[in-house]
Amino acid sequence: SRHHRILIPSCPFHRGGEEEILPGLFLGPYSSAMKSKLPILQKHGITHVICIRQNIEANFIKPNFQQLFRYLVLDIADNPIENIIRFFPMQLSLFSGKVLVHGNAGISRSAALVIAYIMETFGVKYRDAFTYVQERRFCINPNAGFVHQLQEYEAIYLAKLTIQMMSPRQLERSLSVTAGSLKRTHEEDEEIGNLPAAAQNG
């Protein structure tokens, strides 16, 4: 069943392969970016590599082709308490050529960044972006902390998208309504503050 496949994935990672998530956007494990894989990377036309690792992984997860590709190395631990949301805007700036995003296994950290990119680029919610990526690389499994941050990011970028889509007049009206609401709340608070203690506790 699909649920069983998520729990016990038969993943392209076990073949050491990267998957094309969008045209020109590949997600995979470190094994897809090793020196022996240069002909495959060149065949795909890779121009950029986002390499995700934490300091203790630097000895075995390396940018192997710095003369050939533009690299962005991100120091991110696959840990539920890691703040990955801070990297979402930074990694978006690199998606101008053909990009390979990899961590160690291509399952948690790198998948979270690709999901965030799809969420913001296409204006979709976390669940839809997750499903889209999983259909192309079905072993993805961002840790619980990353999932929570992606869900938080959903509210942030959807609010930003709404503001961007508003005409200047709509935006002015919306800000005016918000300001009026805040003013009323402040006035109500002052009125409550002026009531006798017995009335406030009523």
Side-chain angles (χ1 to χ4, degrees), residues 112-141:
L113 291 184
V114 169
I115 289 167
Y117 174 71
I118 288 173
M119 286 168 66
E120 182 153 337
T121 302
F122 298 100
V124 297
K125 295 184 176 181
Y126 162 73
R127 179 47 55 183
D128 295 328
F130 174 87
T131 300
Y132 179 88
V133 176
Q134 190 185 53
E135 284 172 353
R136 287 149 185 81
R137 183 171 175 76
F138 50 76
C139 61
I140 66 164
N141 187 24

PDB file of all heavy atoms in Angstrom, residues 112-141:
ATOM      1  N   ALA A 112      13.314  19.062   2.500  1.00  0.00           N
ATOM      2  CA  ALA A 112      12.617  20.200   3.101  1.00  0.00           C
ATOM      3  C   ALA A 112      12.862  21.476   2.305  1.00  0.00           C
ATOM      4  O   ALA A 112      11.946  22.273   2.080  1.00  0.00           O
ATOM      5  CB  ALA A 112      13.061  20.380   4.555  1.00  0.00           C
ATOM      6  N   LEU A 113      14.105  21.686   1.836  1.00  0.00           N
ATOM      7  CA  LEU A 113      14.408  22.882   1.054  1.00  0.00           C
ATOM      8  C   LEU A 113      13.684  22.868  -0.290  1.00  0.00           C
ATOM      9  O   LEU A 113      13.178  23.898  -0.742  1.00  0.00           O
ATOM     10  CB  LEU A 113      15.916  23.008   0.840  1.00  0.00           C
ATOM     11  CG  LEU A 113      16.758  23.321   2.070  1.00  0.00           C
ATOM     12  CD1 LEU A 113      18.216  23.504   1.676  1.00  0.00           C
ATOM     13  CD2 LEU A 113      16.269  24.560   2.783  1.00  0.00           C
ATOM     14  N   VAL A 114      13.631  21.714  -0.922  1.00  0.00           N
ATOM     15  CA  VAL A 114      12.942  21.609  -2.215  1.00  0.00           C
ATOM     16  C   VAL A 114      11.440  21.825  -2.034  1.00  0.00           C
ATOM     17  O   VAL A 114      10.790  22.507  -2.834  1.00  0.00           O
ATOM     18  CB  VAL A 114      13.246  20.247  -2.885  1.00  0.00           C
ATOM     19  CG1 VAL A 114      12.342  20.018  -4.089  1.00  0.00           C
ATOM     20  CG2 VAL A 114      14.708  20.196  -3.312  1.00  0.00           C
ATOM     21  N   ILE A 115      10.879  21.271  -0.966  1.00  0.00           N
ATOM     22  CA  ILE A 115       9.448  21.471  -0.679  1.00  0.00           C
ATOM     23  C   ILE A 115       9.170  22.963  -0.467  1.00  0.00           C
ATOM     24  O   ILE A 115       8.199  23.504  -1.012  1.00  0.00           O
ATOM     25  CB  ILE A 115       9.016  20.650   0.552  1.00  0.00           C
ATOM     26  CG1 ILE A 115       9.002  19.153   0.205  1.00  0.00           C
ATOM     27  CG2 ILE A 115       7.642  21.088   1.056  1.00  0.00           C
ATOM     28  CD1 ILE A 115       8.889  18.235   1.415  1.00  0.00           C
ATOM     29  N   ALA A 116      10.028  23.645   0.300  1.00  0.00           N
ATOM     30  CA  ALA A 116       9.841  25.081   0.541  1.00  0.00           C
ATOM     31  C   ALA A 116       9.891  25.863  -0.770  1.00  0.00           C
ATOM     32  O   ALA A 116       9.105  26.788  -0.993  1.00  0.00           O
ATOM     33  CB  ALA A 116      10.915  25.599   1.502  1.00  0.00           C
ATOM     34  N   TYR A 117      10.817  25.479  -1.645  1.00  0.00           N
ATOM     35  CA  TYR A 117      10.942  26.147  -2.944  1.00  0.00           C
ATOM     36  C   TYR A 117       9.668  25.992  -3.769  1.00  0.00           C
ATOM     37  O   TYR A 117       9.162  26.954  -4.346  1.00  0.00           O
ATOM     38  CB  TYR A 117      12.135  25.566  -3.703  1.00  0.00           C
ATOM     39  CG  TYR A 117      12.242  26.087  -5.110  1.00  0.00           C
ATOM     40  CD1 TYR A 117      12.630  27.402  -5.349  1.00  0.00           C
ATOM     41  CD2 TYR A 117      11.948  25.270  -6.203  1.00  0.00           C
ATOM     42  CE1 TYR A 117      12.722  27.893  -6.646  1.00  0.00           C
ATOM     43  CE2 TYR A 117      12.033  25.749  -7.494  1.00  0.00           C
ATOM     44  CZ  TYR A 117      12.421  27.062  -7.710  1.00  0.00           C
ATOM     45  OH  TYR A 117      12.501  27.541  -9.000  1.00  0.00           O
ATOM     46  N   ILE A 118       9.119  24.792  -3.791  1.00  0.00           N
ATOM     47  CA  ILE A 118       7.899  24.536  -4.564  1.00  0.00           C
ATOM     48  C   ILE A 118       6.710  25.268  -3.948  1.00  0.00           C
ATOM     49  O   ILE A 118       5.872  25.835  -4.662  1.00  0.00           O
ATOM     50  CB  ILE A 118       7.657  23.018  -4.681  1.00  0.00           C
ATOM     51  CG1 ILE A 118       8.698  22.430  -5.644  1.00  0.00           C
ATOM     52  CG2 ILE A 118       6.237  22.702  -5.143  1.00  0.00           C
ATOM     53  CD1 ILE A 118       8.716  20.942  -5.753  1.00  0.00           C
ATOM     54  N   MET A 119       6.639  25.286  -2.631  1.00  0.00           N
ATOM     55  CA  MET A 119       5.559  26.007  -1.950  1.00  0.00           C
ATOM     56  C   MET A 119       5.528  27.471  -2.392  1.00  0.00           C
ATOM     57  O   MET A 119       4.487  27.999  -2.773  1.00  0.00           O
ATOM     58  CB  MET A 119       5.747  25.934  -0.430  1.00  0.00           C
ATOM     59  CG  MET A 119       5.418  24.590   0.174  1.00  0.00           C
ATOM     60  SD  MET A 119       5.989  24.451   1.900  1.00  0.00           S
ATOM     61  CE  MET A 119       4.952  25.658   2.719  1.00  0.00           C
ATOM     62  N   GLU A 120       6.689  28.116  -2.327  1.00  0.00           N
ATOM     63  CA  GLU A 120       6.728  29.549  -2.614  1.00  0.00           C
ATOM     64  C   GLU A 120       6.618  29.827  -4.113  1.00  0.00           C
ATOM     65  O   GLU A 120       5.946  30.760  -4.532  1.00  0.00           O
ATOM     66  CB  GLU A 120       7.997  30.178  -2.055  1.00  0.00           C
ATOM     67  CG  GLU A 120       8.038  31.667  -2.298  1.00  0.00           C
ATOM     68  CD  GLU A 120       8.872  32.428  -1.272  1.00  0.00           C
ATOM     69  OE1 GLU A 120       9.062  31.920  -0.156  1.00  0.00           O
ATOM     70  OE2 GLU A 120       9.322  33.526  -1.604  1.00  0.00           O
ATOM     71  N   THR A 121       7.263  29.019  -4.937  1.00  0.00           N
ATOM     72  CA  THR A 121       7.257  29.263  -6.380  1.00  0.00           C
ATOM     73  C   THR A 121       5.866  29.111  -6.977  1.00  0.00           C
ATOM     74  O   THR A 121       5.453  29.893  -7.836  1.00  0.00           O
ATOM     75  CB  THR A 121       8.226  28.284  -7.086  1.00  0.00           C
ATOM     76  OG1 THR A 121       9.532  28.470  -6.533  1.00  0.00           O
ATOM     77  CG2 THR A 121       8.272  28.538  -8.583  1.00  0.00           C
ATOM     78  N   PHE A 122       5.124  28.112  -6.507  1.00  0.00           N
ATOM     79  CA  PHE A 122       3.817  27.823  -7.104  1.00  0.00           C
ATOM     80  C   PHE A 122       2.649  28.232  -6.213  1.00  0.00           C
ATOM     81  O   PHE A 122       1.487  28.023  -6.577  1.00  0.00           O
ATOM     82  CB  PHE A 122       3.728  26.333  -7.468  1.00  0.00           C
ATOM     83  CG  PHE A 122       4.745  25.929  -8.494  1.00  0.00           C
ATOM     84  CD1 PHE A 122       5.916  25.298  -8.116  1.00  0.00           C
ATOM     85  CD2 PHE A 122       4.552  26.218  -9.842  1.00  0.00           C
ATOM     86  CE1 PHE A 122       6.882  24.952  -9.055  1.00  0.00           C
ATOM     87  CE2 PHE A 122       5.502  25.876 -10.785  1.00  0.00           C
ATOM     88  CZ  PHE A 122       6.671  25.238 -10.400  1.00  0.00           C
ATOM     89  N   GLY A 123       2.954  28.809  -5.037  1.00  0.00           N
ATOM     90  CA  GLY A 123       1.892  29.277  -4.148  1.00  0.00           C
ATOM     91  C   GLY A 123       1.007  28.154  -3.640  1.00  0.00           C
ATOM     92  O   GLY A 123      -0.206  28.301  -3.545  1.00  0.00           O
ATOM     93  N   VAL A 124       1.627  27.011  -3.318  1.00  0.00           N
ATOM     94  CA  VAL A 124       0.848  25.865  -2.835  1.00  0.00           C
ATOM     95  C   VAL A 124       1.140  25.608  -1.364  1.00  0.00           C
ATOM     96  O   VAL A 124       2.144  26.069  -0.823  1.00  0.00           O
ATOM     97  CB  VAL A 124       1.138  24.582  -3.661  1.00  0.00           C
ATOM     98  CG1 VAL A 124       0.705  24.774  -5.105  1.00  0.00           C
ATOM     99  CG2 VAL A 124       2.616  24.198  -3.599  1.00  0.00           C
ATOM    100  N   LYS A 125       0.260  24.868  -0.734  1.00  0.00           N
ATOM    101  CA  LYS A 125       0.409  24.556   0.679  1.00  0.00           C
ATOM    102  C   LYS A 125       1.416  23.428   0.878  1.00  0.00           C
ATOM    103  O   LYS A 125       1.743  22.688  -0.048  1.00  0.00           O
ATOM    104  CB  LYS A 125      -0.953  24.188   1.276  1.00  0.00           C
ATOM    105  CG  LYS A 125      -1.927  25.360   1.254  1.00  0.00           C
ATOM    106  CD  LYS A 125      -3.232  25.011   1.925  1.00  0.00           C
ATOM    107  CE  LYS A 125      -4.148  26.228   1.980  1.00  0.00           C
ATOM    108  NZ  LYS A 125      -5.423  25.940   2.640  1.00  0.00           N
ATOM    109  N   TYR A 126       1.855  23.299   2.128  1.00  0.00           N
ATOM    110  CA  TYR A 126       2.871  22.294   2.451  1.00  0.00           C
ATOM    111  C   TYR A 126       2.456  20.902   1.987  1.00  0.00           C
ATOM    112  O   TYR A 126       3.227  20.195   1.343  1.00  0.00           O
ATOM    113  CB  TYR A 126       3.144  22.272   3.962  1.00  0.00           C
ATOM    114  CG  TYR A 126       3.842  20.993   4.379  1.00  0.00           C
ATOM    115  CD1 TYR A 126       5.179  20.778   4.061  1.00  0.00           C
ATOM    116  CD2 TYR A 126       3.146  19.975   5.037  1.00  0.00           C
ATOM    117  CE1 TYR A 126       5.818  19.600   4.397  1.00  0.00           C
ATOM    118  CE2 TYR A 126       3.780  18.795   5.384  1.00  0.00           C
ATOM    119  CZ  TYR A 126       5.111  18.605   5.054  1.00  0.00           C
ATOM    120  OH  TYR A 126       5.730  17.437   5.373  1.00  0.00           O
ATOM    121  N   ARG A 127       1.244  20.499   2.307  1.00  0.00           N
ATOM    122  CA  ARG A 127       0.806  19.132   2.000  1.00  0.00           C
ATOM    123  C   ARG A 127       0.871  18.854   0.504  1.00  0.00           C
ATOM    124  O   ARG A 127       1.312  17.793   0.072  1.00  0.00           O
ATOM    125  CB  ARG A 127      -0.610  18.922   2.552  1.00  0.00           C
ATOM    126  CG  ARG A 127      -1.222  17.550   2.290  1.00  0.00           C
ATOM    127  CD  ARG A 127      -0.336  16.374   2.591  1.00  0.00           C
ATOM    128  NE  ARG A 127       0.201  16.333   3.939  1.00  0.00           N
ATOM    129  CZ  ARG A 127       1.051  15.410   4.363  1.00  0.00           C
ATOM    130  NH1 ARG A 127       1.473  14.465   3.550  1.00  0.00           N
ATOM    131  NH2 ARG A 127       1.507  15.444   5.598  1.00  0.00           N
ATOM    132  N   ASP A 128       0.463  19.832  -0.300  1.00  0.00           N
ATOM    133  CA  ASP A 128       0.475  19.639  -1.757  1.00  0.00           C
ATOM    134  C   ASP A 128       1.905  19.579  -2.291  1.00  0.00           C
ATOM    135  O   ASP A 128       2.215  18.770  -3.169  1.00  0.00           O
ATOM    136  CB  ASP A 128      -0.290  20.774  -2.444  1.00  0.00           C
ATOM    137  CG  ASP A 128      -1.763  20.773  -2.084  1.00  0.00           C
ATOM    138  OD1 ASP A 128      -2.312  19.676  -1.854  1.00  0.00           O
ATOM    139  OD2 ASP A 128      -2.372  21.852  -2.021  1.00  0.00           O
ATOM    140  N   ALA A 129       2.768  20.427  -1.753  1.00  0.00           N
ATOM    141  CA  ALA A 129       4.166  20.423  -2.185  1.00  0.00           C
ATOM    142  C   ALA A 129       4.847  19.117  -1.773  1.00  0.00           C
ATOM    143  O   ALA A 129       5.603  18.528  -2.544  1.00  0.00           O
ATOM    144  CB  ALA A 129       4.909  21.616  -1.596  1.00  0.00           C
ATOM    145  N   PHE A 130       4.565  18.663  -0.547  1.00  0.00           N
ATOM    146  CA  PHE A 130       5.138  17.396  -0.075  1.00  0.00           C
ATOM    147  C   PHE A 130       4.714  16.249  -0.992  1.00  0.00           C
ATOM    148  O   PHE A 130       5.543  15.431  -1.420  1.00  0.00           O
ATOM    149  CB  PHE A 130       4.679  17.113   1.357  1.00  0.00           C
ATOM    150  CG  PHE A 130       5.105  15.756   1.861  1.00  0.00           C
ATOM    151  CD1 PHE A 130       6.348  15.580   2.456  1.00  0.00           C
ATOM    152  CD2 PHE A 130       4.272  14.646   1.722  1.00  0.00           C
ATOM    153  CE1 PHE A 130       6.739  14.325   2.910  1.00  0.00           C
ATOM    154  CE2 PHE A 130       4.661  13.392   2.168  1.00  0.00           C
ATOM    155  CZ  PHE A 130       5.898  13.234   2.763  1.00  0.00           C
ATOM    156  N   THR A 131       3.431  16.196  -1.307  1.00  0.00           N
ATOM    157  CA  THR A 131       2.909  15.117  -2.162  1.00  0.00           C
ATOM    158  C   THR A 131       3.563  15.155  -3.531  1.00  0.00           C
ATOM    159  O   THR A 131       3.948  14.118  -4.081  1.00  0.00           O
ATOM    160  CB  THR A 131       1.378  15.237  -2.299  1.00  0.00           C
ATOM    161  OG1 THR A 131       0.803  15.136  -0.992  1.00  0.00           O
ATOM    162  CG2 THR A 131       0.813  14.148  -3.185  1.00  0.00           C
ATOM    163  N   TYR A 132       3.721  16.355  -4.081  1.00  0.00           N
ATOM    164  CA  TYR A 132       4.330  16.505  -5.406  1.00  0.00           C
ATOM    165  C   TYR A 132       5.756  15.957  -5.407  1.00  0.00           C
ATOM    166  O   TYR A 132       6.144  15.198  -6.298  1.00  0.00           O
ATOM    167  CB  TYR A 132       4.324  17.984  -5.813  1.00  0.00           C
ATOM    168  CG  TYR A 132       4.958  18.229  -7.149  1.00  0.00           C
ATOM    169  CD1 TYR A 132       4.212  18.146  -8.326  1.00  0.00           C
ATOM    170  CD2 TYR A 132       6.326  18.531  -7.252  1.00  0.00           C
ATOM    171  CE1 TYR A 132       4.805  18.357  -9.562  1.00  0.00           C
ATOM    172  CE2 TYR A 132       6.918  18.731  -8.484  1.00  0.00           C
ATOM    173  CZ  TYR A 132       6.159  18.656  -9.636  1.00  0.00           C
ATOM    174  OH  TYR A 132       6.755  18.840 -10.860  1.00  0.00           O
ATOM    175  N   VAL A 133       6.552  16.336  -4.401  1.00  0.00           N
ATOM    176  CA  VAL A 133       7.941  15.884  -4.340  1.00  0.00           C
ATOM    177  C   VAL A 133       7.993  14.376  -4.073  1.00  0.00           C
ATOM    178  O   VAL A 133       8.776  13.644  -4.686  1.00  0.00           O
ATOM    179  CB  VAL A 133       8.738  16.657  -3.264  1.00  0.00           C
ATOM    180  CG1 VAL A 133      10.160  16.117  -3.142  1.00  0.00           C
ATOM    181  CG2 VAL A 133       8.765  18.145  -3.600  1.00  0.00           C
ATOM    182  N   GLN A 134       7.129  13.910  -3.199  1.00  0.00           N
ATOM    183  CA  GLN A 134       7.139  12.487  -2.846  1.00  0.00           C
ATOM    184  C   GLN A 134       6.773  11.599  -4.031  1.00  0.00           C
ATOM    185  O   GLN A 134       7.283  10.480  -4.161  1.00  0.00           O
ATOM    186  CB  GLN A 134       6.173  12.220  -1.694  1.00  0.00           C
ATOM    187  CG  GLN A 134       6.310  10.813  -1.125  1.00  0.00           C
ATOM    188  CD  GLN A 134       5.265  10.537  -0.080  1.00  0.00           C
ATOM    189  OE1 GLN A 134       4.079  10.726  -0.332  1.00  0.00           O
ATOM    190  NE2 GLN A 134       5.698  10.091   1.070  1.00  0.00           N
ATOM    191  N   GLU A 135       5.926  12.088  -4.908  1.00  0.00           N
ATOM    192  CA  GLU A 135       5.567  11.308  -6.095  1.00  0.00           C
ATOM    193  C   GLU A 135       6.761  11.111  -7.024  1.00  0.00           C
ATOM    194  O   GLU A 135       6.790  10.188  -7.826  1.00  0.00           O
ATOM    195  CB  GLU A 135       4.423  11.998  -6.854  1.00  0.00           C
ATOM    196  CG  GLU A 135       3.073  11.809  -6.172  1.00  0.00           C
ATOM    197  CD  GLU A 135       1.972  12.641  -6.801  1.00  0.00           C
ATOM    198  OE1 GLU A 135       2.292  13.479  -7.692  1.00  0.00           O
ATOM    199  OE2 GLU A 135       0.808  12.479  -6.407  1.00  0.00           O
ATOM    200  N   ARG A 136       7.753  11.978  -6.902  1.00  0.00           N
ATOM    201  CA  ARG A 136       8.943  11.893  -7.754  1.00  0.00           C
ATOM    202  C   ARG A 136      10.139  11.274  -7.028  1.00  0.00           C
ATOM    203  O   ARG A 136      11.015  10.727  -7.674  1.00  0.00           O
ATOM    204  CB  ARG A 136       9.282  13.293  -8.275  1.00  0.00           C
ATOM    205  CG  ARG A 136       8.283  13.716  -9.343  1.00  0.00           C
ATOM    206  CD  ARG A 136       8.038  15.208  -9.393  1.00  0.00           C
ATOM    207  NE  ARG A 136       6.987  15.484 -10.369  1.00  0.00           N
ATOM    208  CZ  ARG A 136       5.678  15.365 -10.135  1.00  0.00           C
ATOM    209  NH1 ARG A 136       5.249  14.996  -8.921  1.00  0.00           N
ATOM    210  NH2 ARG A 136       4.785  15.604 -11.073  1.00  0.00           N
ATOM    211  N   ARG A 137      10.139  11.396  -5.718  1.00  0.00           N
ATOM    212  CA  ARG A 137      11.183  10.752  -4.899  1.00  0.00           C
ATOM    213  C   ARG A 137      10.501  10.300  -3.621  1.00  0.00           C
ATOM    214  O   ARG A 137      10.441  11.013  -2.633  1.00  0.00           O
ATOM    215  CB  ARG A 137      12.322  11.744  -4.606  1.00  0.00           C
ATOM    216  CG  ARG A 137      13.465  11.107  -3.817  1.00  0.00           C
ATOM    217  CD  ARG A 137      14.664  12.032  -3.719  1.00  0.00           C
ATOM    218  NE  ARG A 137      15.701  11.456  -2.873  1.00  0.00           N
ATOM    219  CZ  ARG A 137      16.533  10.479  -3.214  1.00  0.00           C
ATOM    220  NH1 ARG A 137      16.484   9.968  -4.425  1.00  0.00           N
ATOM    221  NH2 ARG A 137      17.425  10.010  -2.366  1.00  0.00           N
ATOM    222  N   PHE A 138       9.964   9.073  -3.683  1.00  0.00           N
ATOM    223  CA  PHE A 138       9.003   8.690  -2.650  1.00  0.00           C
ATOM    224  C   PHE A 138       9.603   8.309  -1.312  1.00  0.00           C
ATOM    225  O   PHE A 138       8.894   8.018  -0.367  1.00  0.00           O
ATOM    226  CB  PHE A 138       8.051   7.587  -3.135  1.00  0.00           C
ATOM    227  CG  PHE A 138       8.722   6.397  -3.769  1.00  0.00           C
ATOM    228  CD1 PHE A 138       9.355   5.442  -3.002  1.00  0.00           C
ATOM    229  CD2 PHE A 138       8.685   6.243  -5.147  1.00  0.00           C
ATOM    230  CE1 PHE A 138       9.944   4.332  -3.586  1.00  0.00           C
ATOM    231  CE2 PHE A 138       9.284   5.136  -5.740  1.00  0.00           C
ATOM    232  CZ  PHE A 138       9.911   4.188  -4.978  1.00  0.00           C
ATOM    233  N   CYS A 139      10.939   8.383  -1.187  1.00  0.00           N
ATOM    234  CA  CYS A 139      11.556   8.112   0.118  1.00  0.00           C
ATOM    235  C   CYS A 139      11.714   9.363   0.962  1.00  0.00           C
ATOM    236  O   CYS A 139      12.225   9.289   2.072  1.00  0.00           O
ATOM    237  CB  CYS A 139      12.922   7.468  -0.079  1.00  0.00           C
ATOM    238  SG  CYS A 139      14.055   8.527  -0.989  1.00  0.00           S
ATOM    239  N   ILE A 140      11.286  10.523   0.481  1.00  0.00           N
ATOM    240  CA  ILE A 140      11.498  11.735   1.282  1.00  0.00           C
ATOM    241  C   ILE A 140      10.767  11.625   2.620  1.00  0.00           C
ATOM    242  O   ILE A 140       9.671  11.073   2.705  1.00  0.00           O
ATOM    243  CB  ILE A 140      11.083  13.028   0.535  1.00  0.00           C
ATOM    244  CG1 ILE A 140       9.574  13.073   0.295  1.00  0.00           C
ATOM    245  CG2 ILE A 140      11.869  13.184  -0.756  1.00  0.00           C
ATOM    246  CD1 ILE A 140       9.053  14.445  -0.062  1.00  0.00           C
ATOM    247  N   ASN A 141      11.398  12.178   3.648  1.00  0.00           N
ATOM    248  CA  ASN A 141      10.821  12.099   4.989  1.00  0.00           C
ATOM    249  C   ASN A 141      11.437  13.182   5.875  1.00  0.00           C
ATOM    250  O   ASN A 141      12.252  12.895   6.754  1.00  0.00           O
ATOM    251  CB  ASN A 141      11.075  10.699   5.574  1.00  0.00           C
ATOM    252  CG  ASN A 141      10.358  10.501   6.892  1.00  0.00           C
ATOM    253  OD1 ASN A 141       9.365  11.156   7.183  1.00  0.00           O
ATOM    254  ND2 ASN A 141      10.885   9.607   7.720  1.00  0.00           N
TER     255      ASN A 141
END
